[in-house]
Amino acid sequence: MTELSHIRNFSIVAHIDHGKSTLADRLIQICGGLTEREMSEQVLDNMDIERERGITIKAQTVRLEYTARNGEQYVLNLMDTPGHVDFGYEVSRSLSACEGSLLVVDASQGVEAQTLANVYQALDADHEIITVLNKMDLPSAEPDRIKTQIEDVIGLPAQDAIAVSAKTGTGMEDVLEAVITELPPPAGDENAPLKALLVDSWYDPYLGVMTLVRVRDGQLKKGMKIRMMASGATHTVERVGIFGPKPETVDMLGPGEIGFINAGVKTVSDAKVGDTITEERRVCAEALPGFKPSVPVVFCGLFPIDAADFSDLRDALEKLSLNDSSFSFEAETSAALGFGFRCGFLGLLHMEVIRERLAREFNLELISTAPSVVYQLHMTGGETIMMHNPADMPDVTKIAEIEEPWITATIMTPDEYLGPVLSLCIERRGEQVDLTYAGSRAVVVYKLPLNEVVFDFYDRLKSVTRGYASFDYQMAGYVAGQLVKVSILVNGDPVDALSMIVHREQAEYRGRAICTRLKDLIPRQMFKIALQAAIGGKVIARETISALRKDVTAKCYGGDVTRKRKLLEKQKEGKKRMRQFGKVDIPQNAFFEALKMGDS
């Protein structure tokens, strides 16, 4: 067992693309965690989807052994964390297992919105922070300007920031020395009863549920009987190991150490992230505080294309929710789409990633409904209802008022794009809170309704600023608004998967836009199809898909015109009857495509 004074637990935090994963690669390489042959780019991003998109989705842990300049041997537990706002829950969980953080800032781009958000999370977790200026090999690097910017914007002393290039490997030894000299060792008592924090869990097809733990007190050994304090379940530890970065079995984990265990956990509910693990016979006095439960902000329905895949979808969602505790789901039914699940996510990227993982890892073909947020309905009877799906909206006469969630958004943008950013926020019903400058960059703080942000706000922000703006947000509570439900009717039948809640001023524009989109997406039939948008009983927009016409007069060559007219009248009668019984099949892509408004 390693002495406590020779252990350092730290995470790497930064904005997207500032070089966290590359920095982790270099540290693994220097400490000899992998041979030259085994090394690859972004070695800790082991999901296909992470490599393709070039982003980190799951926080990964690796244990490294390093011989310091003073000749002593140290054990370093490093956690590489994601940078996207949608995976902020992964970051907060990783931070609670460590004592310090490396704050990586791009030496040419400087401080961005997620840099701020992640630093504040690290400071909330009482972390010692080491500032690292990365990408010093770039000709556009301006270390002195960025150091001043870090001091002005974040308020951390940055004159001693370590200048490195993770790509070329310069300055890496200085980073490792700073970790040893500046970060505190973990505290803990090996003779006390076992107290360990369950940081993460995932499903392995061969080994079952695997759990990542950070031991605070006591020892965790193979063969021990352990108890999960929140669920009360007891298990026997079958295997104890560490990631170096390949999984290696060890005899035991002591205080301050991070590793994984297999304990024959069969059900997802027994491995709750944030739970405290203790010995069955010697229970620790009190549980660790754990993590605040994550609050999903975006909801959408996921339905299997083939109804027979419903149970496979449920198993897949259970395994994914074990691996990603910020994702939640509950069963629901839809008249148009059959049986499925209402799923909650932390943002749109999170939603896209989960959908793609379901398609890849579990071979499921799914239809997803449009994303929506949770509304609070205050009824005339005095009770309050949380509404996840616009299709579930009760009778309007029973609703006193509807409240929608708002967020406080921080947008950092170069000065020349400030005008388009402000007009985008105003167009989305935003209220300006603050506007300051950090050097030549404007920092804009706006209050915005979440349902205006949730669909394509981030894409629009990137396009109006040519990709130079960064965006971060926090929930800011519920505010009452003039909201109405817009239903979409196809041939007089409401399609619940397309109904949405919008502000009264925008209802007509949004309804008209959806009808126009659907006109292009629904194939023509042998009869006319009416597409309508309605608020309650009042139709606010209409489009008509004209009928296909079969040439019934083809066999008439010459002769009296009345013969042709007779055939056309007969066709007209048939079409009329068909229209009465005609059922319109809406293609699957129409559900998602129709709601992608953009600027159309």
Side-chain angles (χ1 to χ4, degrees):
M1 193 173 78
T2 318
E3 269 183 59
L4 277 175
S5 60
H6 285 194
I7 299 176
R8 297 289 183 276
N9 298 322
F10 65 99
S11 58
I12 305 180
V13 293
H15 187 75
I16 308 142
D17 281 342
H18 280 203
K20 296 178 294 296
S21 299
T22 314
L23 186 78
D25 287 355
R26 290 296 82 75
L27 295 177
I28 291 169
Q29 208 168 359
I30 288 173
C31 297
L34 291 171
T35 61
E36 289 294 328
R37 193 169 64 82
E38 291 169 322
M39 273 309 287
S40 64
E41 294 280 313
Q42 276 83 38
V43 70
L44 294 180
D45 291 349
N46 48 22
M47 261 190 262
D48 291 347
I49 188 167
E50 288 181 311
R51 291 185 172 281
E52 278 170 30
R53 289 174 177 244
I55 57 172
T56 303
I57 292 168
K58 284 293 296 175
Q60 297 290 351
T61 312
V62 57
R63 172 173 164 145
L64 303 169
E65 294 190 353
Y66 173 66
T67 309
R69 286 175 186 156
N70 60 13
E72 296 199 24
Q73 187 87 10
Y74 286 87
V75 167
L76 311 178
N77 289 307
L78 143 75
M79 286 190 146
D80 178 25
T81 64
H84 281 80
V85 63
D86 286 18
F87 308 116
Y89 194 59
E90 283 287 322
V91 181
S92 67
R93 293 214 320 266
S94 307
L95 294 176
S96 61
C98 304
E99 283 80 36
S101 289
L102 292 183
L103 168 67
V104 182
V105 181
D106 185 322
S108 59
Q109 303 253 342
V111 176
E112 305 262 10
Q114 270 311 102
T115 316
L116 281 173
N118 290 339
V119 168
Y120 293 148
Q121 277 195 324
L123 291 170
D124 287 347
D126 289 339
H127 274 206
E128 197 65 47
I129 292 174
I130 298 172
T131 312
V132 176
L133 284 187
N134 191 17
K135 306 196 185 182
M136 289 295 288
D137 56 320
L138 293 180
S140 57
E142 300 174 81
D144 296 334
R145 180 177 73 81
I146 303 300
K147 283 179 183 177
T148 317
Q149 193 186 50
I150 293 171
E151 292 185 347
D152 292 350
V153 179
I154 303 176
L156 286 175
Q159 292 315 315
D160 301 332
I162 306 165
V164 305
S165 163
K167 195 174 179 183
T168 60
T170 3
M172 287 294 134
E173 291 277 350
D174 299 340
V175 173
L176 288 165
E177 286 299 320
V179 165
I180 284 159
T181 53
E182 293 179 34
L183 296 187
D189 176 5
E190 62 174 305
N191 300 315
L194 172 68
K195 185 191 279 189
L197 177 69
L198 201 160
V199 182
D200 198 1
S201 54
W202 62 97
Y203 184 81
D204 184 290
Y206 302 106
L207 300 165
V209 175
M210 297 181 73
T211 46
L212 184 73
V213 294
R214 156 71 205 264
V215 181
R216 297 281 162 149
D217 293 322
Q219 298 175 351
L220 190 55
K221 300 177 187 163
K222 182 181 172 178
M224 262 176 100
K225 277 253 172 139
I226 55 166
R227 177 192 295 274
M228 309 282 189
M229 287 183 85
S231 59
T234 56
H235 301 281
T236 305
V237 179
E238 294 163 5
R239 181 174 171 223
V240 180
I242 54 153
F243 290 107
K246 292 183 292 191
E248 297 167 29
T249 308
V250 295
D251 296 332
M252 61 168 287
L253 290 172
E257 294 192 296
I258 299 174
F260 68 87
I261 58 167
N262 284 110
V265 177
K266 293 285 184 294
T267 58
V268 174
S269 55
D270 284 354
K272 277 203 169 65
V273 165
D275 200 349
T276 304
I277 298 174
T278 185
E279 259 181 279
E280 193 185 13
R281 301 249 170 88
R282 290 171 71 202
V283 179
C284 60
E286 57 182 30
L288 291 162
F291 316 120
K292 287 199 300 255
S294 74
V295 180
V297 293
V298 181
F299 286 82
C300 91
L302 290 179
F303 295 87
I305 286 179
D306 180 356
D309 291 342
F310 178 74
S311 57
D312 295 346
L313 175 59
R314 183 172 50 220
D315 293 348
L317 290 174
E318 279 185 359
K319 285 171 185 169
L320 269 191
S321 68
L322 174 73
N323 182 233
D324 183 348
S325 52
S326 54
F327 157 66
S328 61
F329 64 95
E330 57 184 40
E332 74 161 358
T333 56
S334 149
L337 302 169
F339 289 100
F341 290 92
R342 188 98 193 136
C343 305
F345 309 94
L346 295 186
L348 279 192
L349 178 69
H350 188 206
M351 179 177 114
E352 258 180 68
V353 164
I354 293 279
R355 269 176 43 208
E356 208 158 314
R357 285 184 69 184
L358 287 168
R360 288 180 184 206
E361 295 172 27
F362 302 98
N363 297 324
L364 290 167
E365 285 190 56
L366 302 172
I367 306 169
S368 62
T369 61
S372 66
V373 299
V374 184
Y375 296 93
Q376 274 188 5
L377 308 184
H378 295 284
M379 311 303 281
T380 47
E383 78 258 47
T384 304
I385 300 173
M386 303 299 275
M387 183 178 70
H388 292 221
N389 189 347
D392 301 336
M393 188 155 168
D395 184 359
V396 189
T397 54
K398 295 179 181 167
I399 302 172
E401 67 173 0
I402 305 176
E403 290 186 341
E404 59 180 335
W406 280 57
I407 58 168
T408 305
T410 308
I411 300 167
M412 298 180 101
T413 173
D415 194 27
E416 64 262 35
Y417 304 116
L418 183 59
V421 168
L422 295 180
S423 54
L424 174 66
C425 293
I426 292 162
E427 180 194 311
R428 298 299 172 99
R429 302 193 279 131
E431 296 168 5
Q432 190 172 323
V433 178
D434 195 10
L435 172 58
T436 51
Y437 276 86
S440 65
R441 301 230 318 252
V443 181
V444 191
V445 181
Y446 254 89
K447 283 209 158 153
L448 289 156
L450 184 63
N451 73 346
E452 296 285 347
V453 174
V454 86
F455 215 90
D456 57 355
F457 180 83
Y458 194 52
D459 297 346
R460 289 282 308 283
L461 179 69
K462 285 289 183 198
S463 63
V464 298
T465 60
R466 299 192 182 165
Y468 282 109
S470 62
F471 169 71
D472 175 51
Y473 65 83
Q474 273 91 35
M475 297 306 290
Y478 279 79
V479 178
Q482 289 277 307
L483 301 167
V484 290
K485 175 186 169 185
V486 175
S487 310
I488 302 297
L489 313 172
V490 176
N491 251 2
D493 296 329
V495 180
D496 58 358
L498 287 174
S499 57
M500 57 184 175
I501 290 182
V502 292
H503 196 263
R504 191 177 285 280
E505 287 172 10
Q506 294 176 330
E508 192 174 328
Y509 158 71
R510 296 288 280 274
R512 194 169 300 280
I514 283 209
C515 290
T516 315
R517 294 296 298 258
L518 281 176
K519 189 179 176 183
D520 301 332
L521 292 163
I522 295 178
R524 290 165 69 191
Q525 311 280 337
M526 294 297 287
F527 50 91
K528 269 188 194 169
I529 302 170
L531 303 172
Q532 294 165 307
I535 299 175
K538 183 187 172 192
V539 174
I540 53 170
R542 173 182 170 132
E543 291 283 343
T544 307
I545 301 175
S546 55
L548 281 171
R549 180 175 166 199
K550 184 181 171 191
D551 190 358
V552 288
T553 59
K555 62 187 179 193
C556 294
Y557 40 91
D560 190 2
V561 73
T562 52
R563 289 181 65 204
K564 289 187 179 179
R565 198 164 290 143
K566 185 178 161 192
L567 288 166
L568 290 169
E569 289 296 328
K570 197 173 173 188
Q571 181 187 38
K572 206 163 153 189
E573 283 297 314
K575 279 193 177 181
K576 204 170 176 183
R577 199 163 56 246
M578 212 170 166
R579 176 135 181 238
Q580 283 170 350
F581 306 113
K583 185 174 178 297
V584 184
D585 279 328
I586 303 172
Q588 268 119 26
N589 67 332
F591 289 103
F592 208 67
E593 288 297 322
L595 291 127
K596 277 194 175 165
M597 293 291 177
D599 274 333
S600 58

